[in-house]
Amino acid sequence: MLKGTRVGLRARHEDDLPILLTELHDDVVNSSRSEGGPWRPLSPGSKDPRLVVDDQERSRVQFSVVELAGGTLIGTAGLWGIDDHNRCAHIGLGLFPSARGKGYGTDVVAVLCHYGFVVRNLQRMQIETLSDNTAMLRSAERNGFVREGVLRSSSWVMGAFMDEVVLGLLVRDWRPGAKG
């Protein structure tokens, strides 16, 4: 398990899937805001490819996020679009509603940066998030990410186009433990 100050990132367990599906996917509004496509219902017991880990997939690493204090599952996190040639990846995370607003997101981003820069020897990490996602913007910036641009009206979310902010962090600018 990779450990931060308050959270741990561990392998995805089979019994995590129904909880992640209920806590993250079944929340239509937040699921629509975090996915690149429209929300759609999934059957109970569905093996949603966004949640099921394929150990052979080289361009994506998925973790379950747990509280260190009690080991309680509180979300999902990972790197996607991993490019071993250019040594870069994108960060993604989703926390349960009960875990939001408690500083866990900042810790998750810090642990993912450690994994990407130290374990995977990446050069660059990138985050894309909706412009009104202040929690993700704050978590990224507290970990040293810099706003690099805005993709105007690039995301269709629940009936409206929204801007997306692109943030980047290079390994040379990364400061482990720097949380704003």
Side-chain angles (χ1 to χ4, degrees):
M1 176 185 314
L2 298 170
K3 294 181 180 179
T5 305
R6 301 177 59 209
V7 302
L9 304 186
R10 65 159 168 76
R12 179 79 35 87
H13 298 169
E14 186 71 26
D15 57 348
D16 292 347
L17 297 178
I19 300 167
L20 292 170
L21 198 60
T22 299
E23 290 285 337
L24 297 176
H25 178 76
D26 289 352
D27 180 345
V28 177
V29 173
N30 280 311
S31 183
S32 297
R33 291 173 53 80
S34 65
E35 296 297 327
W39 181 89
R40 62 185 179 86
L42 295 173
S43 302
S46 172
K47 299 295 183 188
D48 185 347
R50 294 167 301 182
L51 299 176
V52 175
V53 174
D54 178 356
D55 290 327
Q56 302 305 310
E57 175 63 51
R58 296 188 46 84
S59 66
R60 187 172 166 178
V61 177
Q62 299 177 76
F63 299 99
S64 288
V65 180
V66 295
E67 288 178 305
L68 285 179
T72 305
L73 179 67
I74 61 170
T76 183
L79 300 184
W80 59 275
I82 299 170
D83 180 338
D84 289 326
H85 178 72
N86 292 302
R87 295 177 42 217
C88 61
H90 302 260
I91 286 179
L93 67 101
L95 296 175
F96 297 168
S98 61
R100 296 178 191 148
K102 298 179 179 180
Y104 293 133
T106 300
D107 203 25
V108 171
V109 172
V111 177
L112 287 172
C113 286
H114 173 82
Y115 177 73
F117 292 137
V118 176
V119 178
R120 298 293 297 251
N121 191 32
L122 297 177
Q123 160 69 15
R124 174 185 167 80
M125 304 283 275
Q126 184 168 311
I127 295 174
E128 299 87 4
T129 191
L130 296 175
S131 60
D132 67 347
N133 188 348
T134 55
M136 186 68 226
L137 292 168
R138 190 171 34 252
S139 293
E141 290 172 338
R142 285 181 176 160
N143 279 285
F145 281 79
V146 175
R147 292 183 194 213
E148 296 179 333
V150 174
L151 304 174
R152 298 178 304 140
S153 295
S154 63
S155 296
W156 178 255
V157 180
M158 301 295 290
F161 281 103
M162 297 189 68
D163 293 349
E164 194 171 28
V165 178
V166 178
L167 302 106
L169 177 61
L170 302 178
V171 69
R172 70 173 183 238
D173 300 327
W174 176 55
R175 302 289 178 257
K179 295 188 178 156

